[in-house]
């Protein structure tokens, strides 16, 4: 049986070299992608941490987990659904969690879903508790709780950062598993680039401010329905942003500060890349690269000023699209010869070597829901059956498509883009709102306050979203009560700035209902 190393990054959009972003220095993730199958169009089912993580780890949509906020545990609230690690554990794997895999707190029963999901107690880095405290040295020499927080690691509490500790722990566990008779499933959840942007300050040097542009569309689009806008309240609470005295809800943030936010996000991505690099290089050194599937993904994206928005909390591509990369030994890359390294550590500060050849890529629209059946199949376990509708009573089933067909070994002459009929494929996302216009709780409404649900479908050609009335007691969306709509065409409007919904009324567009 193949081992599994699942790397889940918090709030990482596909701003990576391997996804075509020329500015970003991500040599280790790019090297992983060069040995992998990379999905160009992968989407999260809800652009906020806990709902997305519970959805991807159970393989069920938010309408099945009934988690749209942070305040319920699916096993108590909707159904006793099996998780990916639980399924591997029940099939003889040693399952281990390091860092932020499940969202901590109520939504994973204050235990990261132990003992169901994990063979040993989950590990959380001790320095995580300082993330939101005053640890950012400002120009005044004092410590602040800022959004932008480049630090001297020697100067922070415990002299380390959470993602460094998680890498060290993951490497220790890999070392222990090397001699184990059982296969392992190791999930590693990295915190950065989640806010605050607290990262070793040397990474700032990779992104001189004069090289940083604004988002291509930094204005709030004229045709954006107010219900679709998220007011990024979490950022406004940071001391450095408070000092800007921004107007609520639309901002805008001064251009020079926008550049600094983008600089810090990109610096966090390069810092994260070094952690992924050390982890993969350890996998190599332990000679586990020929027997371990590696998946790299994220719980959702993050807006960096697009549409005048910041953070997640929306249905746009910038917040729902995620990296999704699978390395499968012998399938996506030849098995390493004895003594050969597949993943030697690459230093992002080295002068740029010739960019790594991309590996195989798939352009199909896929959902994070597909992780469950696809990982099971790649590891050689039986693929769980498709869920009936409804499936609250079924413990083990999947709502996502199995992506195994993409991994069939092919002739090298064949076009690297895998042929299929992309017209048939759809990715669903959704986002709740407490009202038709931006409120203090629009980003993260509690279940009882949800009045409107935005159901969004992304096809090859368009993104179509309807904001409909929602009853949180019955968990019922009323598709005949349409509050607003959005329609963006991918080819002519890749940034989703020109809402064509009102021009399309009467056109035969499909209703976005869960398939």
């Amino acid at each position: 049986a193949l081992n599994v190393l699942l790397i889940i990054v918090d709030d990482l959009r596909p701003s990576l070299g391997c996804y075509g972003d020329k500015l970003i220095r991500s040599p280790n993730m790019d090297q992983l992608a060069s040995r992998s199958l990379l999905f160009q169009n992968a989407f999260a089912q809800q652009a906020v941490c806990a709902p997305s993580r519970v959805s991807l780890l159970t393989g069920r949509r938010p309408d099945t987990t009934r988690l749209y906020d942070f305040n319920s545990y699916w096993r108590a609230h909707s159904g006793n659904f099996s998780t990916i690690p639980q399924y591997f554990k029940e099939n003889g794997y040693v399952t281990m969690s390091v860092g932020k895999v499940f969202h901590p707190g109520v939504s994973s029963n204050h235990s990261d879903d132990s003992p169901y999901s994990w063979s040993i107690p989950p590990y959380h880095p001790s320095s995580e508790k300082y993330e939101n405290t005053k640890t950012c040295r400002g120009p005044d020499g004092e410590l602040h709780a800022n959004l932008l927080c480049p630090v001297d690691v020697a100067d922070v509490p415990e002299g380390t950062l959470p993602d460094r500790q998680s890498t060290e722990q993951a490497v220790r566990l890999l070392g222990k598993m090397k001699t184990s008779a059982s296969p392992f499933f190791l999930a590693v959840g990295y915190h950065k680039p989640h806010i605050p942007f607290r990262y070793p300050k040397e990474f700032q040097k990779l992104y001189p401010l004069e090289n940083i542009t604004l988002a291509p569309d930094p204005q709030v689009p004229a045709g954006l329905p107010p219900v679709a806008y998220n007011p990024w309240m979490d950022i406004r609470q940071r001391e450095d942003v408070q000092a800007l005295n921004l107007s609520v809800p639309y901002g805008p943030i001064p251009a020079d500060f926008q550049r600094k936010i983008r600089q810090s996000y990109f610096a966090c991505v390069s810092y994260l890349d070094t952690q992924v690099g050390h982890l993969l290089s350890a996998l190599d050194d332990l000679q586990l690269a020929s027997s371990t599937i590696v998946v790299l993904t994220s719980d959702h994206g993050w807006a960096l000023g697009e549409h005048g928005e910041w953070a997640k909390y929306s249905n746009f591509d910038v917040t729902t699209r995620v990296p999704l990369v699978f390395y499968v030994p012998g399938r996506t890359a030849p098995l390493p010869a004895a003594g050969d390294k597949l993943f030697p550590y690459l230093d992002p500060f080295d002068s740029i070597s010739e960019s790594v050849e991309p590996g195989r890529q798939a352009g199909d629209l896929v959902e994070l829901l597909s992780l469950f059946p696809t990982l099971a199949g790649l590891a050689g376990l039986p693929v769980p059956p498709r869920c009936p509708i409804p499936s609250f009573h079924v413990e083990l089933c999947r709502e996502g498509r199995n992506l195994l067909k993409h991994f069939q070994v092919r002739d090298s002459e064949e076009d690297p883009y895998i042929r299929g009929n992309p017209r048939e494929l759809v990715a669903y996302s959704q986002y709740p709102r407490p009202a038709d216009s931006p409120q203090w709780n629009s980003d993260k409404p509690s279940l009882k306050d949800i009045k409107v649900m935005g159901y969004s479908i992304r096809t090859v050609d368009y993104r179509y979203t309807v904001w409909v009335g929602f009853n949180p007691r019955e968990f019922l969306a009323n598709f005949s009560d349409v509050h607003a709509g959005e329609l963006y065409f991918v080819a002519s409007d890749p940034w989703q700035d020109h809402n064509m919904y009102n021009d399309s009324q009467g056109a035969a567009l499909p209703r976005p209902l869960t398939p």
Side-chain angles (χ1 to χ4, degrees):
L2 288 171
N3 306 308
V4 176
L5 172 59
L6 171 62
I7 304 170
I8 302 180
V9 185
D10 217 354
D11 292 19
L12 178 66
R13 61 195 242 158
S15 290
L16 298 170
C18 52
Y19 276 87
D21 194 320
K22 300 285 186 281
L23 180 70
I24 307 297
R25 306 284 286 269
S26 51
N28 294 288
M29 290 185 274
D30 298 348
Q31 176 172 257
L32 170 65
S34 76
R35 316 246 189 272
S36 299
L37 174 59
L38 177 152
F39 286 92
Q40 277 287 358
N41 289 300
F43 292 88
Q45 277 49 79
Q46 189 182 326
V48 68
C49 309
S52 177
R53 287 164 185 266
V54 168
S55 171
L56 82 89
L57 288 163
T58 60
R60 317 280 184 122
R61 297 184 190 279
D63 279 351
T64 304
T65 66
R66 294 183 161 173
L67 180 69
Y68 313 109
D69 59 13
F70 293 76
N71 310 323
S72 68
Y73 179 43
W74 77 92
R75 293 186 193 273
H77 175 73
S78 52
N80 189 26
F81 310 143
S82 296
T83 67
I84 300 175
Q86 176 183 357
Y87 185 63
F88 275 81
K89 181 172 161 234
E90 287 166 356
N91 279 281
Y93 279 68
V94 176
T95 59
M96 302 167 286
S97 172
V98 170
K100 184 176 173 183
V101 178
F102 281 100
H103 192 84
V106 176
S107 64
S108 56
N109 204 29
H110 300 284
S111 65
D112 299 282
D113 193 45
S114 298
Y116 297 98
S117 284
W118 310 110
S119 309
I120 60 173
Y123 170 86
H124 289 280
S126 57
S127 65
E128 192 188 315
K129 57 181 170 289
Y130 307 109
E131 277 288 292
N132 291 312
T133 58
K134 295 181 186 253
T135 58
C136 320
R137 209 166 280 295
D140 56 5
E142 300 294 312
L143 291 175
H144 298 277
N146 286 345
L147 174 65
L148 313 180
C149 189
V151 295
D152 178 349
V153 177
D155 189 34
V156 299
E158 297 188 21
T160 187
L161 294 171
D163 289 340
R164 283 192 174 181
Q165 288 185 287
S166 292
T167 301
E168 288 158 9
Q169 174 68 7
V171 169
R172 275 196 292 274
L173 291 173
L174 288 174
K176 284 197 174 132
M177 293 314 297
K178 180 171 170 49
T179 52
S180 156
S182 310
F184 67 82
F185 178 104
L186 171 60
V188 181
Y190 284 117
H191 285 269
K192 291 304 109 180
H194 193 287
I195 66 169
F197 300 130
R198 185 164 164 260
Y199 61 93
K201 62 178 194 285
E202 59 270 21
F203 287 92
Q204 220 172 12
K205 297 193 189 78
L206 293 172
Y207 302 98
L209 272 176
E210 58 270 21
N211 295 357
I212 306 286
T213 60
L214 299 183
D217 55 344
Q219 313 297 328
V220 179
L224 182 68
V227 68
Y229 184 82
N230 69 284
W232 34 280
M233 301 303 280
D234 51 356
I235 291 177
R236 298 169 190 271
Q237 285 149 19
R238 308 279 159 176
E239 290 178 36
D240 49 353
V241 180
Q242 277 180 354
L244 300 172
N245 280 324
L246 304 173
S247 63
V248 179
Y250 292 107
I253 294 180
D256 62 328
F257 200 85
Q258 292 197 33
R259 285 196 175 83
K260 287 179 179 162
I261 297 178
R262 290 170 66 90
Q263 173 191 46
S264 272
Y265 184 93
F266 300 149
C268 281
V269 172
S270 292
Y271 159 56
L272 159 78
D273 185 74
T274 62
Q275 298 310 301
V276 173
H278 289 307
L279 179 60
L280 294 177
S281 141
L283 192 76
D284 245 347
D285 293 344
L286 292 162
Q287 280 129 21
L288 289 167
S290 54
S291 56
T292 305
I293 295 164
V294 181
V295 183
L296 173 79
T297 191
S298 158
D299 52 356
H300 44 71
W302 213 81
L304 287 167
E306 295 85 2
H307 319 107
E309 294 185 297
W310 302 87
K312 47 246 187 185
Y313 318 125
S314 82
N315 279 320
F316 284 118
D317 280 16
V318 279
T319 62
T320 53
R321 185 168 166 244
V322 293
L324 181 60
V325 173
F326 288 82
Y327 160 73
V328 186
R331 287 220 209 176
T332 61
L335 289 173
D340 276 4
K341 290 267 198 273
L342 270 186
F343 305 118
Y345 177 77
L346 300 173
D347 187 337
F349 292 93
D350 289 351
S351 58
I352 298 218
S353 50
E354 60 288 358
S355 64
V356 210
E357 273 304 290
R360 293 192 16 225
Q361 301 195 345
D364 286 20
L365 284 114
V366 302
E367 302 176 302
L368 284 182
L369 287 181
S370 291
L371 200 56
F372 197 154
T374 305
L375 262 182
L378 288 172
L381 303 181
V383 174
R386 273 197 168 278
C387 290
I389 298 174
S391 65
F392 300 108
H393 59 292
V394 183
E395 293 191 11
L396 178 68
C397 68
R398 61 181 168 101
E399 291 188 54
R401 265 187 343 118
N402 179 353
L403 305 178
L404 276 184
K405 71 170 170 62
H406 293 282
F407 294 88
Q408 310 308 326
V409 178
R410 291 178 154 71
D411 302 335
S412 53
E413 284 78 63
E414 199 177 328
D415 176 22
Y417 280 89
I418 292 157
R419 300 251 171 262
N421 181 3
R423 295 257 172 273
E424 298 161 6
L425 301 172
V426 174
Y428 290 77
S429 301
Q430 63 192 95
Y431 213 86
R433 293 283 186 241
D436 287 322
S437 59
Q439 310 294 316
W440 68 271
N441 61 338
S442 287
D443 295 338
K444 295 190 273 195
S446 293
L447 174 64
K448 65 176 176 16
D449 297 325
I450 297 172
K451 304 270 193 300
V452 188
M453 187 70 76
Y455 286 93
S456 196
I457 50 181
R458 175 66 155 73
T459 72
V460 152
D461 301 310
Y462 59 83
R463 176 172 289 288
Y464 174 55
T465 305
V466 286
W467 297 89
V468 301
F470 185 82
N471 176 335
R473 284 170 304 286
E474 311 285 330
F475 299 97
L476 273 183
N478 179 357
F479 280 89
S480 50
D481 174 24
V482 177
H483 292 226
E486 296 171 86
L487 174 64
Y488 306 101
F489 290 101
V490 173
S492 57
D493 183 22
W495 293 99
Q496 304 174 342
D497 290 306
H498 303 287
N499 181 6
M500 310 301 283
Y501 178 80
N502 289 339
D503 308 353
S504 72
Q505 285 306 75
L509 279 167
R511 274 170 44 171
L513 284 173
T514 303

